[in-house]
């Protein structure tokens, strides 16, 4: 059971009573109407049919800020086994990648369809509460399952609590190169070889292997620091960067051996930072991999130390 309490301070201190919406449809509409703000996920479909053979209906289907497919299932009651239900749909998704990419193309355009990241699709289970059996089960399953508990306080307050998430995003065994299924969308994915290479190799791992020992040390220190900011930090290695997230990304890390720099993109408003040439930069209108509008460039341990307060700000705001 959730032990989070919310109080209002005034002439007297009063507790705001939290409640979980029991009607699944109203909860689903609440999240789907604000999906990107709440979870960093772009909505692709609601009540998506998995076809007559499979006989299912996915509550919410989306694409997160890293381009990873996301299935969201809402738990109607404490006794409902929403985890098993979600795994059933996750297996369907991995067997229907072409269908998903076509959906992404229709809803978000060609670029979004080309950039779908299949290394570790996510399952988000949202409920008013979970049993201890739910929490135990997801720890035993080698899949990217996240448990999110919510509470409504009055008519205008919503709390979301991350109950469980894998520390390191787990790659799906069923999901290797997209080319393995022949997923090539005409006029959408024009270079099949480039797409195949994207999923067969990690550019950031290669760049790190080509970096000097000193640069590897800086990168490792930053990574360890970001992971240690909280027990709720999740790490996901993508092709061009490593993402650090709670419910949403708060930092994306890249390394460039030729210029001997580690670059982080943070969810910090650049307008609130005293920008320093060569150290921090506003990239709101500059194309880049990863998420966040504040770019931080680090060439030494001293730069890393200067960046730590910015890391904390981004983490706390995520």
């Amino acid at each position: 059971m959730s032990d989070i309490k919310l109080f209002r301070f005034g002439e007297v201190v009063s507790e705001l009573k939290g409640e979980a919406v029991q009607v699944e449809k109203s909860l689903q509409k609440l999240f789907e109407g604000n999906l990107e703000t709440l979870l960093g996920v772009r909505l692709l479909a609601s009540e998506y049919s998995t076809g007559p053979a499979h006989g299912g209906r996915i509550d919410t289907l989306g694409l997160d800020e890293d381009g990873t497919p996301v299935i969201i299932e809402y738990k109607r009651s404490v006794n409902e086994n929403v985890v098993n239900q979600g795994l059933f749909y996750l297996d369907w998704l991995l067997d229907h990648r072409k269908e998903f990419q076509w959906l992404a193309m229709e809803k978000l355009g060609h670029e979004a369809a080309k950039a779908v990241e299949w290394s570790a699709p996510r399952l988000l289970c949202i409920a008013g509460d979970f049993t201890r059996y739910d929490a135990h089960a997801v720890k035993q399953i080698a899949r990217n399952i996240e448990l999110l508990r919510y509470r409504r306080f009055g008519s205008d307050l919503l709390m979301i609590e991350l109950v469980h998430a894998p520390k390191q995003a787990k790659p799906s065994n069923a999901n290797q190169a997209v080319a393995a299924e022949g997923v090539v969308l005409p006029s959408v994915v024009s270079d099949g070889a480039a797409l195949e290479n994207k999923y067969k190799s990690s550019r950031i791992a290669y760049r790190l292997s080509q970096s000097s020992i000193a640069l590897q040390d800086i990168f490792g220190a930053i990574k360890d620091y970001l992971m240690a900011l909280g027990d709720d930090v999740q790490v996901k290695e993508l092709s061009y960067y490593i993402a650090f997230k709670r419910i949403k990304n708060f930092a994306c890390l890249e390394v460039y051996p030729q210029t001997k720099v580690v670059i982080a993109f943070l969810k910090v408003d650049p307008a609130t930072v005293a920008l320093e040439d060569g150290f921090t930069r506003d990239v709101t209108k500059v194309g880049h991999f990863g998420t966040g509008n504040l770019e931080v460039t680090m060439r030494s341990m001293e730069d890393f130390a200067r960046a730590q307060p910015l890391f904390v700000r981004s983490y706390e705001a995520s």
Side-chain angles (χ1 to χ4, degrees):
M1 300 294 291
S2 175
D3 59 355
I4 290 180
K5 295 183 181 295
L6 187 65
F7 296 88
R8 175 182 286 118
F9 283 82
E11 293 183 4
V12 295
V13 177
S14 59
E15 180 181 350
L16 296 180
K17 297 297 183 181
E19 61 177 3
V21 180
Q22 295 301 318
V23 182
E24 185 204 11
K25 198 62 183 178
S26 63
L27 171 66
Q28 186 172 338
K29 287 182 177 179
L30 173 66
F31 273 86
E32 289 180 348
N34 305 277
L35 203 59
E36 196 159 359
T37 301
L38 295 174
L39 302 176
V41 175
R42 292 164 286 176
L43 178 66
L44 293 182
S46 176
E47 299 293 336
Y48 188 80
S49 173
T50 57
H54 189 269
R57 190 173 292 274
I58 297 172
D59 287 343
T60 304
L61 196 56
L63 198 65
D64 74 9
E65 52 197 337
D66 295 317
T68 299
V70 180
I71 289 174
I72 303 175
E73 289 294 311
Y74 308 90
K75 190 172 182 177
R76 298 182 183 89
S77 64
V78 172
N79 294 328
E80 184 184 13
N81 198 331
V82 70
V83 175
N84 284 352
Q85 182 177 313
L87 286 171
F88 185 63
Y89 293 137
L90 194 57
D91 285 340
W92 173 89
L93 176 66
L94 293 172
D95 288 335
H96 293 78
R97 289 172 287 194
K98 183 176 181 179
E99 183 175 335
F100 181 88
Q101 282 193 274
W102 274 110
L103 179 63
M105 182 189 68
E106 292 171 359
K107 298 294 184 179
L108 302 175
H110 290 191
E111 291 304 314
K114 282 199 300 183
V116 174
E117 171 63 62
W118 285 104
S119 61
R122 299 167 62 198
L123 168 61
L124 273 59
C125 300
I126 299 176
D129 221 330
F130 295 95
T131 67
R132 60 178 178 174
Y133 304 111
D134 293 327
H136 178 76
V138 295
K139 292 176 183 177
Q140 310 306 312
I141 301 170
R143 304 294 281 276
N144 289 315
I145 306 172
E146 299 164 47
L147 303 183
L148 297 172
R149 181 189 287 129
Y150 74 93
R151 280 288 185 274
R152 291 289 300 271
F153 293 90
S155 61
D156 60 348
L157 294 176
L158 173 68
M159 181 209 74
I160 302 175
E161 179 186 4
L162 184 60
V163 177
H164 170 82
K167 191 73 174 175
Q168 189 89 24
K170 301 177 178 69
S172 171
N173 293 331
N175 170 40
Q176 302 298 327
V178 172
E181 192 187 74
V183 182
V184 178
L185 306 180
S187 78
V188 178
V189 181
S190 58
D191 190 348
L195 186 61
E196 182 176 357
N197 287 336
K198 176 180 178 181
Y199 293 105
K200 283 187 175 179
S201 63
S202 168
R203 287 166 175 79
I204 191 165
Y206 174 76
R207 288 175 181 171
L208 196 57
S209 71
Q210 300 302 302
S211 300
S212 66
I213 297 299
L215 192 60
Q216 290 181 23
D217 286 345
I218 295 170
F219 186 91
I222 298 169
K223 182 179 178 181
D224 290 345
Y225 179 85
L226 292 172
M227 291 176 63
L229 285 174
D231 292 337
D232 55 352
V233 175
Q234 305 169 60
V235 184
K236 183 173 183 180
E237 182 176 327
L238 294 106
S239 184
Y240 291 97
Y241 60 90
I242 295 181
F244 299 81
K245 68 189 301 177
R246 297 171 84 185
I247 293 176
K248 297 189 287 187
N249 285 0
F250 68 88
C252 293
L253 213 57
E254 301 177 16
V255 61
Y256 293 92
Q258 292 184 333
T259 52
K260 300 180 180 179
V261 299
V262 176
I263 293 179
F265 295 96
L266 306 178
K267 293 283 188 69
V268 175
D269 184 357
T272 65
V273 177
L275 301 177
E276 301 178 44
D277 188 38
F279 178 59
T280 49
R281 182 168 69 124
D282 182 353
V283 292
T284 304
K285 298 180 180 180
V286 178
H288 60 277
F289 296 111
T291 56
N293 292 328
L294 180 66
E295 179 189 271
V296 182
T297 300
M298 291 159 284
R299 297 177 174 82
S300 64
M301 288 295 186
E302 289 74 19
D303 288 339
F304 164 47
R306 292 165 62 203
Q308 289 177 14
L310 296 172
F311 292 152
V312 173
R313 280 183 59 183
S314 190
Y315 167 80
E316 292 179 343
S318 65

